[in-house]
Amino acid sequence: MATVKAVTEATSSWDPYARGCPSRDLLDRIGDKWSILVLGELGEHGVCRFTQLRTRLSGVSEKMLTQTLRALERDGLVLRTIYPAVPVRVEYALTPLGETLREPLKALKEWSLRHTTEVLAAREEYDARIS
């Protein structure tokens, strides 16, 4: 695992294709199915509570959402704020670093919406060829 000193000094030599490179870990994190959806949801709707995220992200389990939020918080992309109330209220929001992912994720979302029909047709053609 890279140390903070090594990370701050080696930025020009990152190579996500090299095993063990921290940039590969980061791509794995932001390319993860649930991470993309959580970051996208927070980018589009702003601050959300856990239950709001779970409702909006159809199919995510409580365990997977918890793990995803913790990992994104650890990476400095999501801020978790706890309010001392009864019951305790917890909110999640993008950090300034997380905000920098809004445009790239928006572009990926738009690409997927624009090309879904073509991808589905390609899948159908492929499946017909191999069966």
Side-chain angles (χ1 to χ4, degrees):
M1 177 173 274
T3 64
V4 173
K5 183 176 181 182
V7 168
T8 58
E9 292 177 358
T11 56
S12 64
S13 64
W14 294 140
D15 180 3
Y17 299 102
R19 184 179 19 194
C21 181
S23 65
R24 181 185 283 194
D25 293 338
L26 183 56
L27 282 176
D28 286 346
R29 167 74 56 234
I30 62 177
D32 172 76
K33 169 185 174 179
W34 294 114
S35 293
I36 287 175
L37 295 174
V38 167
L39 292 167
E41 186 64 31
L42 292 174
E44 284 188 32
H45 295 102
V47 177
C48 288
R49 295 179 71 178
F50 184 90
T51 52
Q52 291 173 307
L53 286 169
R54 186 155 183 231
T55 300
R56 291 178 181 160
L57 302 177
S58 180
V60 69
S61 68
E62 188 170 317
K63 178 182 177 182
M64 183 54 64
L65 183 55
T66 298
Q67 289 175 348
T68 301
L69 287 166
R70 284 183 183 159
L72 292 170
E73 182 182 9
R74 180 174 183 252
D75 288 343
L77 302 172
V78 169
L79 175 66
R80 178 176 183 244
T81 305
I82 303 170
Y83 295 95
V86 178
V88 173
R89 192 174 94 224
V90 180
E91 293 179 340
Y92 297 90
L94 293 179
T95 63
L97 181 60
E99 289 281 342
T100 65
L101 286 168
R102 287 184 69 188
E103 286 305 311
L105 290 177
K106 182 179 175 189
L108 283 172
K109 176 185 170 187
E110 289 172 0
W111 184 93
S112 70
L113 295 174
R114 193 168 37 253
H115 297 286
T116 297
T117 302
E118 295 166 77
V119 170
L120 292 175
R123 287 178 184 173
E124 202 172 288
E125 180 184 317
Y126 175 87
D127 291 346
R129 262 193 342 259
I130 64 160
S131 55

